[in-house]
Every structure is written in C-alpha cells, then in structure tokens.
Amino acid sequence: MNISSKQMEFFEFLCSLDKKQLEKYFLMLGPAESEYVRQMVLTIGKQVTTELNLELAEILDEVEDLADAKSVLDSFTLSGK
C-alpha cells in the first residue's frame, strides 16, 4: 500500500500531539471517524515498520560485506602479503 503525502502529514500531526491532546482529538471524533483514523494509523504504522525493516536488512547486508572484506584484508596482513 502506498501512503499518500496527505495521510503521512496527518500521521505526523497525530504523532506530534501529546497524550492529552490526542485524547481530546479523539473525543471530538464520532465513532466512524475515530475508527477510520485508527485503521489509517495502523496501516501507516505497518507500512513504515516494513520499510524500516527493509532498510535495516540492507544495512545488515552491508555490515556483513564489510566484515567479510575485513577478514580478507586481515588474512593478507597475517600472511605478510
């Protein structure tokens, strides 16, 4: 699912609120609007988590590559080559 810029802006707005402000905001909403916002936040949260996990996997792959390269360089150093 692609997140629209408006959805992301709204998500960021919600994240900027403290607990009291967030509770007050949700009290102003009706049940249908409250459920819509809740579902949207869950969806965006899942998408962001998925994207972060993919980025983390890429970083871990790069770290493993660097560790392998260091191992090769260390073997040359130890062998005097």
Side-chain angles (χ1 to χ4, degrees), residues 27-45:
L27 286 174
M28 293 184 332
L29 298 176
E33 293 90 357
S34 180
E35 181 60 20
Y36 173 79
V37 170
R38 190 180 79 76
Q39 289 299 321
M40 185 182 66
V41 168
L42 285 173
T43 300
I44 291 171

Side-chain angles (χ1 to χ4, degrees), residues 5-77:
S5 61
K6 287 190 181 226
Q7 287 175 317
M8 199 61 201
E9 286 174 20
F10 183 67
F11 182 76
E12 290 170 357
F13 161 74
L14 290 176
C15 290
S16 72
L17 300 177
D18 65 28
K19 185 177 178 181
K20 280 191 174 231
Q21 292 170 321
L22 198 56
E23 287 172 353
K24 186 176 180 180
Y25 176 79
F26 271 91
L27 286 174
M28 293 184 332
L29 298 176
E33 293 90 357
S34 180
E35 181 60 20
Y36 173 79
V37 170
R38 190 180 79 76
Q39 289 299 321
M40 185 182 66
V41 168
L42 285 173
T43 300
I44 291 171
K46 287 177 186 175
Q47 180 70 28
V48 169
T49 300
T50 299
E51 290 173 11
L52 287 174
N53 284 338
L54 290 172
E55 290 294 324
L56 182 57
E58 287 180 25
I59 290 169
L60 289 174
D61 285 345
E62 289 179 22
V63 168
E64 288 175 1
D65 291 346
L66 289 172
D68 290 344
K70 182 186 180 312
S71 177
V72 169
L73 288 173
D74 286 346
S75 70
F76 280 123
T77 304

